[in-house]
Amino acid sequence: MQDFSFPAPPTAPDTAELRAEVRAFLAAELAGYPAAKRIRSWSGFDADFSRKLGQRGWIGMTWPKQYGGHERSALERYVVLEELLAAGAPVAAHWIADRQSGPLLLKVGTEEQKRTILPRIAAGEFFFCIGMSEPDSGSDLAAVRTRAVPVEGGWRVNGTKLWTTYAHHAHAMILYCRTGAANDRHGGTSQFLVDLTLPGITIRPIADLSGARHFNEVVFEDVILPHSALIGQEGDGWNQVMSELAYERSGPERFLSTFVLFVELVRALGSQMTPDAAGALGRLGVQLVVLRRLSRSVAGMLQDGRNPALQASVVKDLGALVEQEIPEIARQLMAMEPDLRSHDALSAVLGYSILNAPAFSLRGGTREILRGIIARGLGLR
């Protein structure tokens, strides 16, 4: 059985000033920004907005200054993240790079990779997509079939990646693929830093239920990567990707995806709040407070160099439940037709949330996979 504790979240000097600074910035930048756009938040792409965050030092906050970072605490970074998400800021452009690609390079990347890539991420000028899922191996990452074969001068890659968010806007991908024997499910995989402008890469958009086109299929056909593209150790891809998923599964985005709907719901009910409505919203509020505490605990473990994959899976699973519960409670409390194209803020936000809610327990690992990870970690299977 793995260590299943959630230690107290990290402490830091008073963050009230930083929180006030972020809120003032967002109030100015998002003035007039409609709720129908705020609900998209970490799916909302705005390169200029990300660049402004970089200029303020709010990307790569905990990284060493020698790589463009600012050497601030995990709690200070968390303050910025939750304020951005609570306000519904469009953070998708830099989100993946700041959340997991940069930290992975910082942990196992070469000195050249760190010095070349990290300062550009921190400046809000270099964006990443995730190359994990495939058509026949979504959450079962050990079943990947995309393969990198050694050739003169580097590696030849063939295969397909799926659900690669904003690959059509990204500069690079962290590619997870097979480099060893097909029957070595865990030991035969590696990760590569991929320039998405290389010949042989085709990016095809995929529309989701709401009509958005942030998903993509990325096809590799005899793509040649240099030796320097290898991240970490050849054959150690499984361990590396598991540590990367701890970053992906534990942040505040895993329980704040429908927070804008929660806010709009409270605003709409206003003085007409009934005891039943107050009770329902109160229960949601308590759940959000608990999730925030667990998520901040994981942030502290990551800062200490630990691999809290089990704890991150718990946060992701519980967070998805709350994210999906918020639109259901909104439907019960408000007699209205949800319509993401409505001029009514609550109707539009509710419409978007309902269409996207099924994905909350799929993206970043399906509920079934996560609960299998949790069960194994607890020694139950």
Side-chain angles (χ1 to χ4, degrees), residues 236-320:
D236 202 33
W238 178 259
N239 293 327
Q240 292 174 192
V241 85
M242 286 299 102
S243 67
E244 188 181 346
L245 284 172
Y247 292 100
E248 181 178 349
R249 290 173 173 165
S250 63
E253 73 273 18
R254 292 308 179 187
F255 55 90
L256 291 180
S257 294
T258 48
F259 185 76
V260 170
L261 172 59
F262 181 78
V263 172
E264 291 299 324
L265 180 59
V266 172
R267 180 178 290 119
L269 288 168
S271 60
Q272 306 302 313
M273 184 86 67
T274 65
D276 285 344
L281 295 178
R283 284 191 295 274
L284 287 174
V286 169
Q287 289 174 300
L288 289 169
V289 168
V290 172
L291 283 164
R292 179 176 184 263
R293 194 273 184 194
L294 297 178
S295 178
R296 291 168 69 239
S297 174
V298 175
M301 287 185 272
L302 289 169
Q303 178 175 263
D304 292 339
R306 298 168 63 181
N307 182 11
L310 176 59
Q311 291 89 341
S313 296
V314 171
V315 173
K316 166 68 171 65
D317 186 35
L318 296 178

Side-chain angles (χ1 to χ4, degrees), residues 27 51 59 91 101 121 148 175 209 240 258 271 301 307 322 349:
R51 192 172 296 110
I59 302 176
V91 296
S101 304
I121 294 176
L175 173 69
L209 273 176
Q240 292 174 192
T258 48
S271 60
M301 287 185 272
N307 182 11
V322 174
V349 169

Side-chain angles (χ1 to χ4, degrees), residues 180-245:
N183 60 358
D184 188 359
R185 284 171 56 84
H186 295 163
T189 58
S190 303
Q191 286 183 297
F192 294 88
L193 176 62
V194 179
D195 177 352
L196 290 175
T197 65
L198 288 173
I201 298 177
T202 302
I203 300 174
R204 300 170 181 153
I206 301 172
D208 67 14
L209 273 176
S210 67
R213 293 182 177 271
H214 51 86
F215 287 138
N216 294 273
E217 176 186 63
V218 181
V219 180
F220 294 82
E221 298 177 289
D222 291 329
V223 177
I224 302 299
L225 303 179
H227 288 301
S228 60
L230 180 67
I231 299 174
Q233 297 296 316
E234 179 183 347
D236 202 33
W238 178 259
N239 293 327
Q240 292 174 192
V241 85
M242 286 299 102
S243 67
E244 188 181 346
L245 284 172

Side-chain angles (χ1 to χ4, degrees), residues 121-168:
I121 294 176
E125 297 175 349
F126 198 84
F127 313 140
F128 270 83
C129 63
I130 301 170
M132 292 187 192
S133 296
E134 297 187 1
D136 298 314
S137 60
S139 293
D140 184 12
L141 290 177
V144 296
R145 294 189 296 182
T146 296
R147 176 173 288 278
V149 178
V151 295
E152 184 178 355
W155 303 81
R156 178 184 290 112
V157 179
N158 282 283
T160 300
K161 291 297 176 179
L162 201 59
W163 315 125
T164 44
T165 302
Y166 285 115
H168 56 306

